[in-house]
Amino acid sequence: MFQISDNAAQVIAKMLDKNGLAGGGLRIGVKAGGCSGFSYVFDWESKPRDNDHVFEGPQGAKVFVDPRSLRVLDGTTLDYDTSLLSKGFIFQNPNAKSTCGCGTSFSV
């Protein structure tokens, strides 16, 4: 399971429209690396790949996750920070045992 907050859904819809990818989604994956062991990776895509898990959130926002990445992303909620100091996607990942200060890498 992967959940998408209202804030994240709004940004996903806006960016898909901006990139001419109506009906597409945000690909989220995990790769080895970063200061804590794993890093999140993003890409905008017009459609899911054959083995992808597709999660739909508010406003029809879609996130595509490959099966290998889902093992470490299962249970995650994707949010978007709109504070004055920073803007960006935030992962509330219950599988992350520790995260780095920038929030883009983690360990399990």
Side-chain angles (χ1 to χ4, degrees):
M1 178 58 84
F2 191 97
Q3 296 183 356
I4 305 164
S5 75
D6 288 333
N7 284 344
Q10 289 175 2
V11 172
I12 290 169
K14 180 179 174 182
M15 293 304 295
L16 287 171
D17 186 49
K18 181 179 179 180
N19 290 310
L21 295 170
L26 174 62
R27 169 166 303 284
I28 296 178
V30 174
K31 70 174 187 171
C35 51
S36 294
F38 290 100
S39 294
Y40 297 108
V41 292
F42 304 91
D43 200 6
W44 300 103
E45 296 194 356
S46 60
K47 62 183 180 180
R49 297 177 189 162
D50 288 339
N51 294 327
D52 282 345
H53 295 271
V54 179
F55 300 97
E56 192 166 330
Q59 304 173 25
K62 293 179 189 157
V63 170
F64 309 144
V65 181
D66 67 271
R68 196 176 99 224
S69 294
L70 186 59
R71 292 188 301 217
V72 261
L73 294 174
D74 193 30
T76 296
T77 298
L78 179 66
D79 199 0
Y80 191 82
D81 181 12
T82 58
S83 72
L84 293 175
L85 297 176
S86 65
K87 291 184 188 245
F89 287 109
I90 298 171
F91 291 87
Q92 297 165 357
N93 185 345
N95 302 305
K97 302 298 180 213
S98 65
T99 60
C100 68
C102 66
T104 60
S105 70
F106 64 99
S107 66
V108 292

